[in-house]
Amino acid sequence: MLQKFLIGIDRFSMAVGHAFAWCILILTLGTSYEVFMRYVLNNPTSWAFDMSYILYGGLFIMSGAYALSRNAHVRGDVLFRLLRPRAQAAIELVLYFIFFYPGVTALIIAGYGYAHDSFGYREVSVNSPVGVPIWQLKALIPLAGTMLFIQGIAQVIRCILCLQTGHWPSQLHDVEELESMLQHEHEAQAAEKGGQ
Amino acid sequence: MTNPQLALLMLGSFIFIILAGFPIAFTLMAMGVMFGYYAYYVPGQDFFDSRVFYLLSQNTFSIMNNDVLTAVPLFLFMGYMIERSNILDRLFHSLQVALRAIPGAMAVAALVTCALFATATGIVGAVVTLMGLLAFPAMLKAGYDQKLSSGVICAGGTLGILIPPSIMLIVYGATSAVSVVRLYAAALVPGFLLAGLYVAYVIVLTTIKPKLAPKLPREQTDIPWSKVAVMLFQAFVPLAVLILSVLGAILFGLATPSEAAAIGALGAMVLAMAYRAFTWGRLKEAVFLTARTSAMVCWLFVGSWTFSSIFSYLGGEGLIKDFVLGLNLNTLTFLLLSQLIIFLLGWPLEWSEIIIIFVPIFLPLLPHFNVDPMFFGILVALNLQTSFLTPPMAMSAYYLKGIAPKHVLLWTIFKGCFPFLAMVFVTMFLVYVFPQIVFWLPNLFYGN
């Protein structure tokens, strides 16, 4: 039941992260189109520059919770790695309350005010006369903060579960980096050979 | 507590806390907010009116609309796409037969393959792992020395973060406000110099001690030159053209780094299609991994900029400056000290953390020692090669160990990396003694 709830949160973060991940494809094609228009047809677009950072900004900010759920944020974990799961969970649980929630909560509060002001006068970009709206990009800041806050709840519960049971509860998996995928395959093959 | 004391406490506790293993982006953000709230505290003010909140959203947004960092996800996407395009084995085999006449042919081919592939993808782990599965067993089977074989793969794969178009230099550009275009031009000669030294070392070593790299049996390499040309044309030429057009577009000012990266990513997709490796599943993998890695790099920036804006508001920068200037260093000792610190930080930390968090501490000091930030960046980029190759935390060696046959010991891989490590230091020394290695190309292209 609890496990289902945790995986549900992972799935939510992942779905949002995956959805915003496709920005990269639009960014690639859109920017290539702009280059084509400028050099081949000598007719640059007026929106390409604003489009590029809006897609890039949306892409990374909304993938923050997804990256957290897949443990992709860098850590200085030279020592941390060597600890037993229970010790890791104890440290992490404390640090979530000291170093995660204050910052993320501030991001939600600050981002809300910031986006609210921007929405108030329907802020547009000053980079081109077309007036590409950018208040929606600012509105992503409190949203991204909220997503992190929710994913953080799942991580905190996982710490508590790990304190009780002594091993880390499972998380949702999707794609792995190529090197870790190949390492797993290699280990599995080696284990198979060893078993024979 | 006075403000500079507070700044000192902030930096001191951060260095300690970083080792506790919590995701660094959030640690930085929270510390920035907490110290910032205290620093900007005005008695009687409403909690939510604190200036720190405005600073936090301002810093976050300035990362979101940063036109330099836009290139990061695009180059990542290009790299993940090339990684999945089935090009690597063709590339290695074609180079191996093309280079058969020279001593240590397989090792040189592995080195060149690693360097080229790493340059195109910019992802060290994948290159070392893929080559560890492909070239490493082939070299061992041919009777190549274990140390030599592991050294070329680890060192060659690591070159990808140095030789342009590299993501590391974009990140350095975003931190230091040096133009990425100039950085790319500046890194080109040192990058090729280092790669050239690697190749020269392998050729000299295998000429002196031919038994480290036995020649392949004739029937395996007896392929007519016309066929070799076709193989090279199918594997080597497309990738080289892709890299050169991306780099050329940037260096000749035809496109911004982000635009060139977008073209490169498009080219990578076309390449994958040409090799019949473009599937829906692989595209999804590349897209999702791009999002995750971009989030990692860019959230680190969000945290770091928040932290450092509070740190300098508290006068931390001035404090460090006074301290370092009080040491009476000259340019040489300052460079030695700063590079030594970065070298040591490379043990526990990754390049992204070092460039985004620690390099900004040195940047304000550079004018006092007459060091050009572009020159400093190239030294850092060279130096960070070592963080992948120096035991005990040599990431490249661990990637290789993870997939190498059981009988290859980690210590053997470390020992294989040492000569290449020495080559990195030689290159840094040459760059210091002959700064023209760095300045020649950017000055030629863009003047002073």
Side-chain angles (χ1 to χ4, degrees), chain A residues 57-138:
Chain A
L59 167 74
F60 94 79
I61 202 106
M62 294 308 280
S63 302
Y66 167 50
L68 182 67
S69 81
R70 296 303 325 278
N71 199 12
H73 287 290
V74 281
R75 303 154 166 258
D77 59 356
V78 187
L79 303 173
F80 186 78
R81 256 195 303 232
L82 307 174
L83 300 174
R84 276 177 317 187
R86 209 167 247 150
Q88 287 180 343
I91 294 177
E92 197 152 308
L93 184 62
V94 175
L95 294 185
Y96 258 101
F97 286 99
I98 307 180
F99 290 123
F100 183 80
Y101 279 115
V104 169
T105 313
L107 192 67
I108 300 173
I109 298 169
Y112 177 76
Y114 194 64
H116 190 264
D117 290 350
S118 172
F119 179 71
Y121 58 96
R122 304 290 190 281
E123 187 178 1
V124 295
S125 155
V126 293
N127 293 315
S128 79
V130 204
V132 178
I134 54 164
W135 58 264
Q136 82 288 9
L137 187 61
K138 292 190 172 176

